[in-house]
Amino acid sequence: MSLLLIVSLVVLGCCTGFLAGLLGVGGGMMLVPFMTILFTAIGFPIEAVVHMAIATSMATILFTSLSSVRAHHQRGAVLWPVVLRLAPGILIGGIIGGGAVFAVLKTGYLSLVFACFVGFSAFKMLRSSKTTVTRQMPGTAGMLTAGSVIGFVSSLVGAGGGFISVPFMTWCNIAIHNAVATSAALGFPIAVASVIGYVWSGLQQTGLPPGSFGYIYLPALAAVASASVVTAPFGARVAHSMNVAQLKKAFALLLFCLASYMLYKAIRTL
């Protein structure tokens, strides 16, 4: 990789690591569009560029989530019983999405799925409803279903699941700071299941660039992960010391821009 590409990936890793700790997201919603741009610029196969951006983004969450959750756990904010109840479904959904479905979707359709998901997530962030809820977490079947949906969707878009799990937990009357912290912990099983699928499905493909392990581009993973694990704890500290409503709105506007780019990418390749 060129020096400029390495610097770009390190800066990207710093930003996504901070957001992972602050908002309980894996950072994939920001990583995937920028990695798509970078991978396209250096000449990756057009039919694999989005797949590799999503897979590499998700692989970084293996490292970011551990760094982020450690900071949240030290503050006693992670609800581990919720993590344990959602994890089995997450593993099932992540492996199915990352393995059986991910490789089948063409680049254009995968870009379209990502654009729609990110745009919807940004809309929900801007809306930020503050209605009082009295619902509780569902039973075993409900948690298995919820976990499977979180894992499946996350594996298709390369995200840590925070944009599904945080609204789900707050909908079930869990305080926002606990929801963010617990979502950070859920990022690890989501990433494990998805990465297994990406590697398995990618190993069946030919023509991927040198340095690839399945659909994961290892040099980019190393650059982004090394930076993100440094900044994730800072984001977690800030999350416990400020009202993040305004930052969420700014981040939502950025997501709209990134969703627009991925929609453009989808239209160009369909």
Side-chain angles (χ1 to χ4, degrees):
M1 294 191 298
S2 68
L3 179 60
L4 178 60
L5 179 60
I6 294 172
V7 171
S8 300
L9 289 168
V10 169
V11 171
L12 191 56
C14 289
C15 295
T16 53
F18 182 80
L19 289 171
L22 182 69
L23 301 176
V25 299
M29 293 194 178
M30 194 166 95
L31 270 177
V32 171
F34 282 112
M35 279 193 175
T36 299
I37 294 171
L38 292 173
F39 289 171
T40 300
I42 60 178
F44 280 12
I46 189 66
E47 67 276 5
V49 67
V50 176
H51 291 75
M52 295 191 69
I54 288 175
T56 306
S57 167
M58 182 64 84
T60 66
I61 297 172
L62 287 170
F63 305 92
T64 305
S65 64
L66 291 177
S67 179
S68 175
V69 76
R70 181 174 177 271
H72 284 295
H73 175 69
Q74 289 174 340
R75 296 175 179 271
V78 180
L79 302 179
W80 290 108
V82 175
V83 174
L84 293 175
R85 293 180 66 198
L86 284 171
I90 282 172
L91 291 171
I92 294 171
I95 291 174
I96 293 173
V101 179
F102 184 75
V104 175
L105 289 177
K106 294 182 178 179
T107 294
Y109 292 112
L110 200 55
S111 300
L112 183 61
V113 169
F114 184 89
C116 292
F117 179 72
V118 172
F120 177 74
S121 299
F123 172 75
K124 294 289 287 184
M125 288 183 76
L126 284 176
R127 201 160 169 256
S128 69
S129 173
K130 295 185 178 181
T131 55
T132 302
V133 295
T134 57
R135 290 173 286 271
Q136 301 300 316
M137 298 297 284
T140 301
M143 293 292 272
L144 183 65
T145 302
S148 298
V149 171
I150 292 169
F152 182 81
V153 175
S154 297
S155 69
L156 290 184
V157 299
F163 286 89
I164 308 175
S165 57
V166 170
F168 169 69
M169 284 184 275
T170 54
W171 184 77
C172 292
N173 208 26
I174 290 177
I176 182 63
H177 286 91
N178 293 115
V180 168
T182 304
S183 173
L186 290 170
F188 187 77
I190 289 172
V192 168
S194 300
V195 164
I196 290 172
Y198 299 148
V199 171
W200 177 79
S201 59
L203 289 175
Q204 320 300 317
Q205 305 299 316
T206 58
L208 297 180
S212 302
F213 182 46
Y215 279 115
I216 299 168
Y217 187 53
L218 295 177
L221 170 62
V224 173
S226 60
S228 64
V229 297
V230 174
T231 56
F234 292 105
R237 289 174 200 165
V238 172
H240 289 274
S241 63
M242 66 175 287
N243 186 328
V244 298
Q246 292 301 316
L247 184 59
K248 281 188 174 183
K249 290 181 179 179
F251 185 51
L253 293 175
L254 173 62
L255 289 181
F256 275 126
C257 294
L258 297 179
S260 299
Y261 168 75
M262 295 303 288
L263 182 60
Y264 166 77
K265 187 81 175 177
I267 294 171
R268 285 285 304 272
T269 53
L270 282 176

